[in-house]
């Protein structure tokens, strides 16, 4: 099958278009014929080698973390899916590879595609949708009447998280550019801060939750907009010891993560705030919850551009520029 492959870790290095064997289908696996694949900043970070010490990829390997497609074959013990089903997923972190014509996904990580979405729209959802779900519902326990600050509101996670937070009944603040203010307001943001003109630290106070995804001083500033008892959930800050435990490598990673996150954990403790690092995990059951919200019209995906499969490297370069509104998607197979 055709695929886009990481031959070596190197910042900005292009993927190689090549042929690889079709995946082996285990007894609990579903072979998905890929119709579309979402492109994420995570893909670039993996390609650049930023996770090579904690994730088990050994070049050459196929890249890609979001998929929508059609079930081609199922393993002997799969009962929930059958050939012909339209499905979507964020494959488990150990089994990525959606920039390809086929991928084998464990049935527990798979869900039926929302009926109201195209394949391209569906492929934009899993990674950012699960990230928002696990941040706001699992970690933050966000509820009606609370205030949440979602950074980078016009990005992939931001566009989804704003809608989920509003559904949960929260007041939502976000940062974006003037050009994207209308987009985030339409999605439900109550307070929109132009990051080029204003410092969010001077505008926001006494927030219950911050979903942090920015670089530099934004992490420490985020602490200062939270009230005591608030929660700072970071997608880009230093990983904490819980991350090592989730990766299944506590003895190797826990000392390192303890050192890396010591400063922010100490600062959070002084302010009476909880700090946690989130590296989202695959979950078919949570995707089914997300499917219901999408089919009920509560959440709509935001897709910036769709690239043809042969232009996967161009799609990644576009994401790397850092100005994407919502998500970028690669169309692997044309709709019939």
């Amino acid at each position: 099958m055709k695929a886009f492959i990481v031959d070596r870790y190197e910042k900005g290095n292009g993927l190689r278009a090549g042929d690889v064997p079709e995946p082996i289908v285990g007894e609990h696996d579903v072979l998905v014929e890929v119709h579309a694949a979402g492109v994420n900043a995570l893909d670039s970070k993996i390609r650049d080698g930023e996770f090579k010490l904690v994730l088990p990829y050994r070049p050459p390997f196929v890249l890609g973390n979001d998929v929508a497609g059609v079930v081609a074959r199922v393993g002997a013990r799969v009962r929930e899916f059958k050939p012909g089903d339209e499905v979507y997923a964020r494959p488990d972190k150990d089994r990525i590879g959606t920039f390809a014509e086929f991928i084998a996904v464990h049935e527990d990580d798979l869900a039926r595609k929302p009926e109201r979405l195209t394949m391209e729209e569906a492929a934009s959802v899993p990674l950012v949708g699960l990230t928002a779900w696990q941040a706001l519902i699992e970690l933050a326990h966000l509820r009606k009447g609370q205030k949440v600050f979602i950074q980078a509101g016009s990005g992939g996670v931001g566009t989804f998280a704003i809608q989920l937070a509003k559904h949960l009944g929260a007041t939502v603040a976000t940062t974006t550019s003037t050009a994207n203010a209308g987009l985030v307001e339409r999605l439900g943001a109550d307070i929109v801060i132009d990051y080029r003109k204003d410092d969010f630290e001077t505008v926001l106070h006494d927030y219950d939750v911050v979903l942090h995804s920015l670089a530099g001083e934004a992490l420490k500033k985020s602490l200062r907009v939270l009230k005591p008892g608030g929660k700072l959930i970071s997608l880009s800050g230093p990983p904490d010891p819980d991350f090592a435990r989730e990766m299944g490598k506590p003895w190797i990673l826990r000392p390192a993560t303890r050192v890396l996150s010591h400063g922010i954990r100490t600062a959070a403790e002084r302010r009476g705030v909880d700090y946690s690092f989130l590296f989202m995990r695959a979950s078919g059951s949570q995707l089914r919850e997300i499917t219901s919200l999408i089919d009920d019209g509560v959440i709509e995906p935001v897709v910036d551009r769709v690239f043809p499969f042969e232009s996967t490297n161009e799609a990644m370069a576009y994401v790397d520029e850092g100005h994407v509104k919502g998500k970028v998607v690669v169309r692997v197979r044309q709709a019939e």
Side-chain angles (χ1 to χ4, degrees), residues 27-45:
E27 59 182 12
H28 288 287
D29 289 344
V30 174
L31 184 67
V32 178
E33 178 187 71
V34 180
H35 283 227
V39 183
N40 298 279
L42 176 62
D43 298 311
S44 297
K45 292 179 179 180

Side-chain angles (χ1 to χ4, degrees), residues 81-101:
F81 301 95
K82 64 184 186 304
D85 286 346
E86 294 188 339
V87 294
Y88 71 152
R90 189 283 202 234
D92 183 79
K93 61 179 172 52
D94 296 344
R95 303 183 61 180
I96 67 171
T98 63
F99 296 161
E101 293 181 302

Side-chain angles (χ1 to χ4, degrees), residues 6-334:
V6 175
D7 279 322
R8 66 182 185 279
Y9 289 123
E10 184 178 343
K11 187 172 179 60
N13 187 39
L15 308 179
R16 174 174 60 86
D19 290 311
V20 298
E22 281 191 14
I24 296 171
V25 180
E27 59 182 12
H28 288 287
D29 289 344
V30 174
L31 184 67
V32 178
E33 178 187 71
V34 180
H35 283 227
V39 183
N40 298 279
L42 176 62
D43 298 311
S44 297
K45 292 179 179 180
I46 292 172
R47 174 202 63 196
D48 295 348
E50 291 187 25
F51 291 104
K52 63 183 178 182
L53 296 179
V54 296
L55 294 174
Y57 318 131
R58 296 292 176 265
F61 62 88
V62 180
L63 194 58
N65 286 273
D66 274 323
V67 63
V70 175
V71 174
R73 192 165 75 249
V74 299
R77 301 187 69 176
V78 173
R79 296 292 178 265
E80 294 298 316
F81 301 95
K82 64 184 186 304
D85 286 346
E86 294 188 339
V87 294
Y88 71 152
R90 189 283 202 234
D92 183 79
K93 61 179 172 52
D94 296 344
R95 303 183 61 180
I96 67 171
T98 63
F99 296 161
E101 293 181 302
F102 293 91
I103 185 171
V105 181
H106 194 285
E107 62 178 327
D108 290 348
D109 301 333
L110 202 63
R112 284 176 175 78
K113 178 184 77 67
E115 292 182 1
R116 58 187 290 164
L117 298 188
T118 65
M119 285 291 183
E120 291 79 15
E121 290 169 333
S124 76
V125 169
L127 188 141
V128 299
L130 289 169
T131 299
W133 186 278
Q134 290 165 22
L136 300 182
I137 294 179
E138 273 195 349
L139 291 177
H141 305 292
L142 189 67
R143 59 188 184 273
K144 185 176 181 180
Q146 290 190 315
K147 298 194 298 183
V148 58
F149 171 36
I150 296 166
Q151 296 172 0
S154 59
V157 173
T159 52
F160 200 99
I162 289 170
Q163 296 177 81
L164 180 58
K166 289 304 296 181
H167 171 66
L168 295 171
T171 296
V172 180
T174 193
T175 49
T176 192
S177 65
T178 300
N180 293 326
L183 168 64
V184 297
E185 288 171 351
R186 179 174 64 82
L187 296 175
D190 300 288
I191 299 166
V192 180
I193 300 166
D194 186 335
Y195 67 86
R196 292 192 177 101
K197 297 178 180 178
D198 297 305
D199 186 338
F200 69 78
E201 184 187 6
T202 66
V203 179
L204 307 177
H205 306 283
D206 297 321
Y207 270 63
D208 298 282
V209 179
V210 173
L211 180 53
H212 165 262
S213 58
L214 302 175
E217 289 296 307
L219 185 61
K220 291 181 179 178
K221 289 181 178 181
S222 296
L223 284 177
R224 297 193 282 269
V225 307
L226 285 164
K227 66 183 183 183
K231 295 178 182 293
L232 172 56
I233 300 165
S234 179
L235 308 179
S236 57
D240 56 13
D242 286 342
F243 168 74
R245 202 158 34 244
E246 290 168 9
M247 291 292 105
K249 300 179 181 180
W251 302 112
I252 299 172
L253 291 178
R254 192 175 297 173
T257 55
R258 187 176 289 114
V259 171
L260 287 171
S261 62
H262 174 75
I264 188 64
R265 288 188 294 110
T266 300
E269 188 175 341
R270 287 183 186 136
R271 297 187 67 88
V273 168
D274 178 64
Y275 171 80
S276 56
F277 173 80
L278 174 62
F279 188 90
M280 59 75 57
R281 70 184 190 283
S283 173
S285 62
Q286 291 178 353
L287 267 184
R288 288 192 288 274
E289 300 274 5
I290 290 168
T291 297
S292 296
L293 293 179
I294 291 171
D295 279 337
D296 288 345
V298 173
I299 293 177
E300 62 177 68
V302 177
V303 177
D304 186 322
R305 287 185 63 182
V306 177
F307 288 77
F309 187 39
E310 61 269 21
S311 299
T312 296
N313 278 314
E314 288 84 345
M316 290 191 65
Y318 183 66
V319 171
D320 289 345
E321 290 173 5
H323 304 297
V324 174
K325 289 180 285 189
K327 287 290 294 292
V328 168
V329 175
V330 169
R331 180 186 293 117
V332 179
R333 192 178 304 270
Q334 292 284 353

